[in-house]
Amino acid sequence: AGSTFGLLGPNGAGKTSLVKMLLGMTTPTEGEALLFGIPSRDPAARRRVGYIPENGRYPGYHTARSFLEFHAKLAGVATGE
C-alpha cells in the first residue's frame, strides 16, 4: 500500500502496451492482466488507478459518441447499448 514504481525500458519494449492492457484500452492476445489481483477487464480493478496519457488524443476512428462510450465503459458506467 502507498508504493510507487517506475516502468523503464527502451523504445518499443512494450511499456505503453502494458499500461494500456492494464487499463482495458487494449486486450492481451494471450494470458491475462491483473490489477490488485482482479482481471484488468473488470472496471472494479481500475477504480484505484489514475492515468494521464502522454498525448491526450483519441484514435481517428472514434466519433464523439463512441469516445464517450469508451470512457464510460472504462469507468464501469452503463452506456445504454
Side-chain angles (χ1 to χ4, degrees):
S3 64
T4 302
F5 69 92
L7 187 58
L8 305 173
N11 290 344
K15 301 176 298 290
T16 300
S17 296
L18 172 64
V19 171
K20 286 182 176 182
M21 280 187 264
L22 292 173
L23 298 178
M25 300 168 91
T26 60
T27 306
T29 54
E30 292 187 38
E32 184 174 50
L34 302 174
L35 277 171
F36 309 108
I38 303 170
S40 62
R41 67 183 177 279
D42 184 338
R46 299 187 299 267
R47 286 196 178 104
R48 297 170 44 194
V49 176
Y51 172 68
I52 300 174
E54 182 178 348
N55 298 314
R57 60 180 187 262
Y58 61 92
Y61 58 81
H62 271 298
T63 63
R65 180 183 196 97
S66 70
F67 184 69
L68 290 172
E69 288 174 346
F70 172 74
H71 283 279
K73 286 179 187 177
L74 288 177
V77 176
T79 62
E81 287 185 5

